[in-house]
Amino acid sequence: MEIRGRAGRVREFLAFAKGDDAGTETAFDFNRFAPYPPEWRELDAAFDRWLNGNPDPSGGVPVNAYDRWGYQWCCHHWGTNSNAKEARYGDTAENRGTLTASVHFETAWSEPWPVVLKASELFPDLTFVLHYFEPLGDFAGCYRCSAGVGTDACWPCDQVEVNRTPDH
């Protein structure tokens, strides 16, 4: 994803976007833009402790909030079923006070356009361009937004080259 705008504001965005994903610092945390409900996070942590601590179902099984409600919540609010993975900073270029920075990350099966749209609402003076490529789903494209307004359709991205090898 590329972020472009006044250098100071882009740096503010990059600092804001940092987070913690399961105890690991990350360059881009979806929770900073659409926080997973904290009460569900607590239920999920209790379930994980139970599951990893020699579970005995005879005493009852704690609620797994992610399986019950969280999966659908994530898909609706993030556009994908889990937080950004392997988030890292990419190239930056500054020219006359305008900074273009990039953050690279992976998601499961789909592009997180709701997160990018929310980022553009919170930082309306910046422009966001999400380049995405899903090799197994065989799709790629770009999503551009600024000030809470995004493209209403994705188009083939000229910055993604897909090399396919025949299956036979």
Side-chain angles (χ1 to χ4, degrees):
M1 176 175 69
E2 293 177 357
I3 307 99
R4 182 183 171 114
R6 288 189 339 266
R9 285 294 283 163
V10 172
R11 289 185 183 97
E12 285 178 38
F13 168 79
L14 295 173
F16 179 86
K18 287 181 186 176
D20 180 291
D21 183 36
T24 303
E25 186 176 306
T26 181
F28 192 63
D29 183 356
F30 293 172
N31 286 293
R32 300 292 290 148
F33 304 95
Y36 186 76
E39 60 276 11
W40 294 357
R41 186 180 309 279
E42 291 172 19
L43 289 171
D44 290 339
F47 179 80
D48 288 344
R49 284 191 301 275
W50 174 82
L51 190 62
N52 294 322
N54 202 9
D56 178 8
S58 65
V61 177
V63 173
N64 181 335
Y66 178 80
D67 283 351
R68 185 170 284 174
W69 311 289
Y71 176 89
Q72 291 298 325
W73 185 96
C74 290
C75 289
H76 178 76
H77 293 277
W78 294 347
T80 185
N81 67 347
S82 60
N83 205 345
K85 300 295 180 207
E86 306 289 328
R88 61 215 174 270
Y89 299 112
D91 296 334
T92 60
E94 190 167 350
N95 185 12
R96 298 182 186 176
T98 297
L99 177 64
T100 301
S102 61
V103 177
H104 302 277
F105 56 90
E106 298 176 13
T107 60
W109 306 310
S110 58
E111 67 280 5
W113 64 265
V115 174
V116 178
L117 186 63
K118 184 65 175 179
S120 79
E121 292 171 2
L122 295 173
F123 292 84
D125 51 334
L126 301 180
T127 299
F128 298 83
V129 180
L130 177 69
H131 302 274
Y132 57 90
F133 170 60
E134 211 308 320
L136 296 177
D138 199 29
F139 64 89
C142 296
Y143 179 71
R144 181 183 317 265
C145 58
S146 185
V149 178
T151 58
D152 57 3
C154 296
W155 62 91
C157 182
D158 61 358
Q159 295 186 14
V160 176
E161 186 173 314
V162 180
N163 294 321
R164 292 188 176 83
T165 305
D167 291 344
H168 50 289

